[in-house]
């Protein structure tokens, strides 16, 4: 049965108060909805601008009960939200994505096993539950050992050259369940953010080209500078994945490009950092799409209207002198094609995502040049 459309000024719910939640609140407000945010941080970026901020843990029974009673549809921005909380809310209100899909995305072993069983291309990996599972075979090394749960931005990962190093890393991770992935010689990384509605309609945003620094997304370039075949295949694979997962909501799919081959790296059951360019360069952005999906509206057009380069601004931009200094915003603000987004976070820390900017324009070359200049003005290393 199709879900009826939830109309403004209904209250929507968001689990998680980070920047992704903040953009969701902005999109919901533009359409006349109200938003309740659940996040334990009293200064969370989304909590600051929500209509109601429940400042509590993600499994707090009273807060979940209040959300279930007051929100007509609920989504998440935080990948590690307890799947049980989603399941509980789903008993009495609309929740997208479903707890089952989130549980798969939260666990690297379940995630990679799902890709494999769904016939989706994935690089060589071995589930590691105990030291004896660590393979000896030289074909598997060098490798990356990744903790199965709660990793993000390259955290909970170790690069290992052989079994002895893998064993040390596994012990360092307190023998938590891990995956061991063969280290791949990447030509490129790309991603696709898409939305799938309850009727199974899918709209995918254009394929983005991503580069990472220290395991953290640094830049997304759209359109991706790779063959049309690779860009189109990434779209096909992302849609196939969403359908096989019976996913409803906004989904980020990360790919490795090795030669002419695409391999799925991981999925995020929410809008994705590499989809931030959609705010300034697409007809509909990924957060509006998230509001549309959970309220049962038709999906908006994902069409790209400008070439885009998105650059993350980390806490490092405040700390380059060894002491905290406010970045030279006036220099970045001198570029008319640069769209600035700061998340309202109070304390800059190394590697903490404080904001991003997107440069848009008609020619990718000139967009890239402006992005390069603005990076140096904000003390972001060369790309
Ligand atoms: P996170 O959840 O922290 O984003 P990822 O698994 O996406 O973790 O890894 C972060 C980055 O590390 C990737 O985007 C890629 O640049 C690099 N990386 C991860 N796994 C591999 C691998 N098997 N081979 C080569 N590079 C990898
Ligand atoms: Mg990743």
């Amino acid at each position: 049965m199709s879900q009826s459309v939830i109309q403004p000024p209904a209250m929507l719910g968001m689990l998680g108060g980070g920047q992704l939640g903040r953009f969701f609140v902005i999109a919901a407000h533009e359409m006349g909805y109200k938003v309740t945010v659940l996040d334990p941080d009293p200064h969370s970026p989304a909590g600051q601008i929500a209509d109601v901020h429940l400042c509590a843990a993600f499994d707090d029974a009273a807060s979940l009960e209040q959300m279930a009673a007051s929100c007509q549809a609920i989504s998440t921005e935080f990948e590690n939200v307890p799947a049980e909380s989603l399941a509980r809310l789903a008993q009495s209100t609309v929740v997208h994505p479903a707890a089952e899909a989130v549980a798969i995305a939260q666990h690297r072993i379940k995630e990679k096993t799902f890709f494999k069983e769904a016939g989706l291309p994935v690089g060589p990996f071995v589930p590691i539950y105990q030291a004896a599972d660590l393979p000896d075979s030289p074909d598997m090394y060098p490798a990356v050992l990744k903790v199965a749960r709660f990793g993000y931005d390259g955290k909970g990962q170790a690069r290992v050259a052989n079994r002895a190093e893998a064993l040390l890393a596994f012990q360092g991770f307190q023998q938590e369940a891990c995956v061991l992935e063969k280290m791949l010689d990447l030509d490129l990384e790309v991603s696709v953010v898409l939305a799938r509605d309850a009727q199974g309609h899918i709209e995918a945003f254009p394929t983005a080209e991503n580069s990472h620094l220290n395991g953290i997304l640094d830049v997304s370039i759209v359109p991706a500078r790779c063959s049309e075949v690779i860009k189109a295949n990434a779209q096909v694979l992302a849609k196939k994945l969403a359908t096989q997962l019976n996913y409803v909501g906004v989904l980020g799919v990360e790919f490795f490009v090795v030669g002419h081959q695409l391999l799925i790296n991981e999925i995020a059951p929410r809008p994705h950092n590499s989809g931030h360019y959609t705010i300034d360069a697409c007809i509909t952005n990924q957060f509006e799409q998230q509001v549309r999906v959970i309220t049962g509206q038709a999906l908006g057009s994902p069409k790209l209207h400008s070439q885009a380069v998105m650059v993350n601004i980390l806490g490092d931009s405040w700390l380059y002198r060894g002491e905290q200094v406010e970045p030279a915003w006036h220099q970045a603000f001198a570029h008319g094609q640069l769209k600035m987004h700061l998340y309202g976070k109070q304390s800059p820390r190394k590697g903490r995502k404080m904001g991003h900017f997107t440069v848009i324009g008609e020619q990718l070359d000139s967009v890239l040049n402006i992005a390069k200049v603005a990076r140096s003005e904000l003390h972001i290393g060369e790309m």
Side-chain angles (χ1 to χ4, degrees):
M1 202 178 76
S2 71
Q3 172 195 316
S4 58
V5 175
I6 295 164
Q7 301 188 37
M11 180 71 82
L12 307 178
M14 176 49 58
L15 295 167
Q19 58 271 18
L20 304 175
R22 183 180 173 101
F23 286 120
F24 173 89
V25 174
I26 293 169
H29 281 171
E30 281 184 333
M31 286 182 264
Y33 295 100
K34 289 182 286 188
V35 184
T36 296
V37 165
L38 174 61
D39 192 290
D41 174 3
H43 306 294
S44 75
Q48 288 171 24
I49 63 165
D51 299 272
V52 178
H53 176 195
L54 299 171
C55 191
F58 293 114
D59 57 357
D60 179 67
S63 299
L64 292 172
E65 206 166 292
Q66 184 178 336
M67 280 189 107
S70 60
C71 299
Q72 295 197 32
I74 296 176
S75 193
T76 170
E77 62 107 48
F78 175 57
E79 191 161 336
N80 290 319
V81 70
E84 307 84 69
S85 296
L86 293 174
R88 186 159 166 177
L89 291 166
Q91 289 173 357
S92 48
T93 188
V94 174
V95 178
H96 297 304
E100 295 76 17
V102 172
I104 290 174
Q106 277 175 349
H107 198 282
R108 292 192 194 275
I109 299 177
K110 287 188 194 165
E111 185 183 43
K112 297 209 177 263
T113 307
F114 165 79
F115 300 154
K116 213 167 148 177
E117 287 173 356
L120 297 160
V122 51
F125 73 95
V126 184
I128 311 292
Y129 297 98
Q130 52 197 26
D133 297 334
L134 287 166
D136 252 334
S137 151
D139 303 352
M140 269 308 288
Y141 300 95
V144 196
L145 186 72
K146 301 181 182 176
V147 179
R149 291 216 55 181
F150 303 124
Y152 70 99
D153 287 347
K155 296 188 175 74
Q157 300 194 9
R159 299 190 167 204
V160 294
N162 49 45
R163 188 177 191 280
E165 285 188 21
L167 183 60
L168 275 179
F170 184 57
Q171 284 159 350
F173 293 146
Q174 266 61 43
Q175 320 220 2
E176 291 268 347
C178 287
V179 286
L180 185 77
E181 288 179 35
K182 188 176 164 70
M183 178 74 79
L184 301 164
D185 189 8
L186 307 182
D187 288 300
L188 203 65
E189 292 186 71
V190 299
S191 62
V192 174
V193 176
L194 61 73
R196 183 170 181 274
D197 72 14
Q199 290 78 47
H201 304 124
I202 299 180
E203 291 289 0
F205 292 104
T207 306
E209 168 188 343
N210 304 319
S211 43
H212 297 79
L213 261 182
N214 305 319
I216 306 174
L217 182 67
D218 177 32
V219 191
S220 294
I221 298 171
V222 193
R225 295 167 301 176
C226 59
S227 74
E228 293 303 323
V229 176
I230 285 183
K231 279 189 269 192
N233 275 345
Q235 301 264 314
V236 169
L237 288 171
K239 290 178 185 174
K240 184 174 167 195
L241 193 162
T243 304
Q244 301 236 23
L245 196 53
N246 203 13
Y247 190 87
V248 179
V250 173
L251 179 73
V253 184
E254 297 178 15
F255 296 89
F256 295 143
V257 182
V258 180
H260 295 293
Q261 208 192 353
L262 275 165
L263 298 169
I264 298 178
N265 171 25
E266 61 169 356
I267 55 173
R270 49 167 174 78
H272 194 262
N273 192 171
S274 72
H276 284 357
Y277 78 88
T278 63
I279 299 171
D280 299 304
C282 292
I283 292 182
T284 307
N285 74 54
Q286 61 173 347
F287 305 99
E288 176 183 343
Q289 207 73 305
Q290 188 177 24
V291 176
R292 285 172 169 268
V293 177
I294 72 167
T295 56
Q297 300 181 27
L299 297 177
S301 162
K303 194 170 181 311
L304 190 75
H305 57 66
S306 300
Q307 316 282 297
V309 175
M310 190 283 314
V311 174
N312 270 336
I313 304 172
L314 304 180
D316 307 49
S317 285
W318 278 252
L319 301 169
Y320 63 95
R321 269 198 209 160
E323 52 176 337
Q324 191 174 317
V325 191
E326 199 61 25
W329 300 121
H330 63 282
Q331 293 185 15
F333 290 160
H335 306 288
Q337 285 164 262
L338 183 150
K339 309 282 252 178
M340 182 65 74
H341 301 269
L342 294 170
Y343 308 149
K345 294 185 185 177
Q346 289 183 336
S347 34
R349 288 192 298 269
K350 267 185 149 336
R352 186 176 199 204
K353 291 172 180 168
M354 301 296 287
H356 74 266
F357 66 78
T358 303
V359 181
I360 54 171
E362 283 173 20
Q363 300 292 336
L364 191 54
D365 284 353
S366 70
V367 166
L368 275 164
N369 282 334
I370 296 167
K372 279 180 189 157
V373 172
R375 286 174 74 95
S376 76
E377 290 164 349
L378 297 176
H379 295 275
I380 304 170
E382 279 181 33
M383 59 186 190

